Amino acid sequence: MSDPVLVEVTRGAIVESRHRGAIAVVDAAGRRRAAIGDVSQAVFPRSAVKALQALPLVESGAADRYGFADAELALACASHSGEPRHVATAARMLAAAGRGEADLACGVSWPASRDAANALVQAGERPSALHDNCSGKHSGFICLACHMGVDPEGYVRPDHPVQREVTAALAALTDTELGDENRATDGCSIPTYAVPLDKLALAFARFVTGEGLSPAHAKAAQRLRAACTAEPAMVAGSGRFCTRALALFGSRLFVKGGAEGVYCGGFPDLGLGFALKCDDGASRASETLTAAVIAAFIPLGAEERADFADLLVPPVMSRVGVRIGEVRPVAGLDEALR
Amino acid sequence: MSDPVLVEVTRGAIVESRHRGAIAVVDAAGRRRAAIGDVSQAVFPRSAVKALQALPLVESGAADRYGFADAELALACASHSGEPRHVATAARMLAAAGRGEADLACGVSWPASRDAANALVQAGERPSALHDNCSGKHSGFICLACHMGVDPEGYVRPDHPVQREVTAALAALTDTELGDENRATDGCSIPTYAVPLDKLALAFARFVTGEGLSPAHAKAAQRLRAACTAEPAMVAGSGRFCTRALALFGSRLFVKGGAEGVYCGGFPDLGLGFALKCDDGASRASETLTAAVIAAFIPLGAEERADFADLLVPPVMSRVGVRIGEVRPVAGLDEALR
């Protein structure tokens, strides 16, 4: 496998580091609109498919039963920064089903937000599983189990009824068989399945259009997407890529990142989905590539272009705040995408 | 440029991400002992050459004048974690020359150590320039200026007498012309120069043997290396790669990492220096490669091999502490290095 260099990191006039990767853009019928690098390689989408993993929560009626509004649904699709509103929303989701933090199996981690972490320290507290970036998704899983009338215990196991529902939704949207052979374990202990990059793009073309989906899947997808559009701050956190891009482009875009350099999303108005993987797993490269994909498919006004500039070509700054380099898509990428 | 894949990151049985890179191992006469990838590519060594940048501090007599022991000299070569001992040592260095934190031009950053950062928050304090990972190097620069009788103001500029001394030492050890064409700015605002990878390896073969150096350079190199060996905790911080490797291998190894995937070092007993660059700038890959280089050139006893195992093949862990993958050198790398 030798994917092309797609992102360069410069220092002064010299390229200091290079990131390779692959990008698939397809429509809901699976027709390729753009294909850069090896788009049939199987990649673990990680958190980039959280919105697909949340489909059963909505479809089953659990979200309605527990009174979930946009904030809760967006948090179920989120890799959040552990800010107070994220923690409070996850706690509210669990409480709605009569459950709590002790039921979360994602593990404990410090909030990604330094402000949130420092606020915990100042209060003399330690992080809990609610602060983990996956606590919204896991709260959704626990609520789904309760709604299904099954014990949430062991809900991260591939053979638990919750994961069987989640895996079935992923398999349906990606047209991919998901089983022992392509399964590994995510950082939050749930199964993650390696799926061809172009099938992930297909899944998101379907997710943002409803085309090729059962009516129930299509309705749930529409509701989850609307929730993320309405509550972008819930999907990631202050200043983060997904939150900023969702806030900037509203209903013209769906986007979600995952660990190890994966981003997925789609353009509802264009009927297109995309998926990309940076070979080395770097977030700075996958973010810049995602920004390049967005800029290639959404016509940006002058104001949007200004607001988007530091996502498309993030500066490399010295620690006294001087711009000393940049992270940029390679020349010609824009043309290759269109 | 297409360097080979040298590090794989697995999840379950599947390779999730891949890192490419180049490795040069040479003797003090510049003879290549191992060359993987493009070893004549110019790379910014960043903090990997801090020990070379500290040569004028020792050679000039400044270190003796200000009474620097191993701890101060090791900190001058360090990218430290901002732990209390690092901060106190930098402050002591500055005070010895009648200077203080306000003279530091590196910028302010939170300690890399979460414990150190949390301790600051608990004490109701904010980080200062002393907590910045480069504060030891910068304190050395300021002391050098004072000893030279020049105003430290502007000591990060390429044309300041301090940087002229530092650049001359770098140029001498690397046999490379350093000027406007290969200069950019490091994160701490000092100049960084792009140098061919095999010339960096040559510089460290010279640094660890003294061969090919002026007597003054050789004596200063010996003293700095002894200081890092004696005070490995000063060179990085608790649990970090350089600190652990220096502590484990003592005088058999010199090693120092830099940002954007660079490591340099040498094996004094073997008369060899090495330099490596991970193309994408990832530290996890450059650390694993450095461990592979060390394991190829230092015969490890059973106990050393056990202590070194998690540096050579770092586990990928879930957030509940289960091993779900690993970061590993590619098959055949060990043979290619020997």
Side-chain angles (χ1 to χ4, degrees):
Chain A
M1 190 183 71
S2 185
D3 287 327
V5 172
L6 298 181
V7 173
E8 296 171 337
V9 182
T10 66
R11 183 167 296 271
I14 297 174
V15 175
E16 181 168 25
S17 297
R18 294 167 175 83
H19 298 277
R20 294 166 181 268
I23 306 175
V25 185
V26 308
D27 69 18
R31 282 182 296 252
R32 288 183 183 174
R33 174 70 180 265
I36 297 170
D38 177 7
V39 297
S40 39
Q41 67 181 295
V43 307
F44 290 115
R46 311 288 303 277
S47 292
V49 292
K50 277 178 173 165
L52 311 186
Q53 292 169 319
L55 288 167
L57 175 69
V58 176
E59 268 185 74
S60 65
D64 283 335
R65 173 170 170 182
Y66 299 121
F68 291 171
D70 287 339
E72 289 84 358
L73 292 178
L75 198 75
C77 302
S79 299
H80 65 72
S81 296
E83 297 167 13
R85 56 186 164 188
H86 301 136
V87 173
T89 304
R92 203 164 60 234
M93 291 170 73
L94 289 165
R99 296 285 171 165
E101 176 195 325
D103 295 296
L104 290 170
C106 47
V108 171
S109 52
W110 283 93
S113 156
R114 180 168 304 266
D115 286 348
N118 286 355
L120 272 183
V121 175
Q122 272 167 333
E125 293 173 18
R126 302 280 304 173
S128 75
L130 290 168
H131 297 90
D132 187 85
N133 86 84
C134 293
S135 69
K137 176 181 68 177
H138 279 247
S139 296
F141 289 158
I142 291 167
C143 289
L144 177 58
C146 293
H147 178 67
M148 291 168 74
V150 301
D151 187 351
E153 175 75 27
Y155 71 87
V156 297
R157 287 200 313 264
D159 61 351
H160 188 280
V162 160
Q163 289 307 326
R164 285 209 300 261
E165 290 294 319
V166 169
T167 305
L170 269 176
L173 268 78
T174 59
D175 273 352
T176 302
E177 278 189 49
L178 308 179
D180 293 350
E181 284 179 18
N182 53 0
R183 186 173 59 228
T185 305
D186 212 321
C188 67
S189 299
I190 69 161
T192 181
Y193 295 90
V195 172
L197 201 61
D198 56 359
K199 295 294 192 185
L200 289 169
L202 170 66
F204 280 89
R206 291 169 161 179
F207 181 79
V208 300
T209 61
E211 291 173 35
L213 297 183
S214 68
H217 276 322
K219 193 176 163 197
Q222 165 62 25
R223 183 154 171 213
L224 287 167
R225 186 163 64 82
C228 293
T229 301
E231 293 280 3
M234 283 293 169
V235 178
S238 303
R240 284 180 51 199
F241 186 94
C242 287
T243 292
R244 288 187 57 196
L246 288 167
L248 198 53
F249 298 107
S251 63
R252 290 177 288 171
L253 174 72
F254 180 78
V255 65
K256 179 70 184 71
E260 293 294 331
V262 176
Y263 264 80
C264 293
F267 306 104
D269 304 340
L270 306 175
L272 296 174
F274 69 85
L276 62 86
K277 162 83 182 174
C278 172
D279 293 0
D280 58 67
S283 293
R284 68 177 178 187
S286 57
E287 289 180 1
T288 292
L289 288 179
T290 302
V293 170
I294 293 170
F297 287 97
I298 298 183
L300 302 179
E303 200 175 324
E304 283 173 335
R305 185 162 288 280
D307 287 346
F308 201 51
D310 69 311
L311 296 182
L312 193 56
V313 183
V316 174
M317 306 293 281
S318 77
R319 296 197 290 285
V320 296
V322 174
R323 184 185 183 111
I324 51 181
E326 62 188 29
V327 183
R328 68 187 184 201
V330 292
L333 182 65
D334 191 55
E335 293 70 31
L337 281 166
R338 282 169 199 270
Chain B
M1 190 185 69
S2 184
D3 288 327
V5 172
L6 298 181
V7 173
E8 297 172 335
V9 182
T10 66
R11 184 165 296 272
I14 297 174
V15 175
E16 181 168 26
S17 296
R18 292 168 176 81
H19 298 277
R20 292 167 182 269
I23 307 175
V25 185
V26 308
D27 67 19
R31 282 183 295 253
R32 287 183 184 175
R33 173 70 181 265
I36 297 171
D38 178 7
V39 297
S40 39
Q41 66 180 296
V43 307
F44 290 115
R46 311 288 302 276
S47 292
V49 292
K50 277 177 173 164
L52 311 186
Q53 292 168 321
L55 287 168
L57 176 69
V58 176
E59 267 184 76
S60 65
D64 283 334
R65 172 170 173 183
Y66 299 122
F68 291 172
D70 288 337
E72 289 83 359
L73 292 178
L75 198 75
C77 303
S79 299
H80 65 71
S81 296
E83 297 168 12
R85 57 187 163 187
H86 302 135
V87 173
T89 304
R92 203 163 61 233
M93 292 170 73
L94 290 165
R99 296 285 170 164
E101 174 195 324
D103 294 296
L104 289 170
C106 47
V108 171
S109 53
W110 282 94
S113 155
R114 182 171 298 270
D115 285 348
N118 286 355
L120 273 183
V121 175
Q122 272 167 333
E125 293 173 17
R126 303 279 305 173
S128 76
L130 291 169
H131 297 90
D132 186 86
N133 85 85
C134 293
S135 69
K137 177 182 68 178
H138 280 247
S139 296
F141 290 157
I142 291 167
C143 289
L144 176 59
C146 293
H147 178 67
M148 291 169 72
V150 302
D151 186 350
E153 175 74 27
Y155 71 86
V156 298
R157 286 200 315 263
D159 60 351
H160 188 279
V162 159
Q163 290 307 326
R164 285 208 300 262
E165 290 294 319
V166 169
T167 304
L170 269 176
L173 268 77
T174 60
D175 271 354
T176 302
E177 279 189 49
L178 308 179
D180 293 351
E181 284 179 20
N182 54 359
R183 185 173 60 229
T185 306
D186 212 322
C188 66
S189 298
I190 70 160
T192 180
Y193 296 91
V195 173
L197 201 61
D198 56 358
K199 296 294 193 185
L200 288 169
L202 169 65
F204 280 89
R206 291 168 161 181
F207 180 79
V208 300
T209 61
E211 292 173 31
L213 297 184
S214 69
H217 276 320
K219 193 176 162 197
Q222 165 63 24
R223 183 155 170 212
L224 288 166
R225 186 162 64 81
C228 293
T229 300
E231 292 281 2
M234 282 294 169
V235 178
S238 303
R240 283 179 55 198
F241 187 92
C242 287
T243 292
R244 289 187 56 196
L246 288 168
L248 199 51
F249 298 108
S251 62
R252 290 176 290 171
L253 174 73
F254 180 79
V255 65
K256 180 69 183 71
E260 293 295 331
V262 176
Y263 264 81
C264 293
F267 306 103
D269 304 339
L270 305 175
L272 296 173
F274 68 87
L276 61 88
K277 162 84 180 174
C278 172
D279 293 1
D280 57 67
S283 293
R284 68 177 178 187
S286 57
E287 289 180 0
T288 292
L289 288 179
T290 303
V293 170
I294 293 170
F297 287 96
I298 298 182
L300 302 178
E303 201 176 322
E304 284 172 337
R305 185 161 289 279
D307 287 347
F308 201 51
D310 69 310
L311 296 181
L312 193 56
V313 182
V316 173
M317 306 293 282
S318 77
R319 295 196 291 284
V320 295
V322 174
R323 185 186 184 111
I324 52 182
E326 62 188 29
V327 183
R328 68 186 184 200
V330 292
L333 182 65
D334 191 56
E335 292 70 30
L337 283 166
R338 283 170 198 270

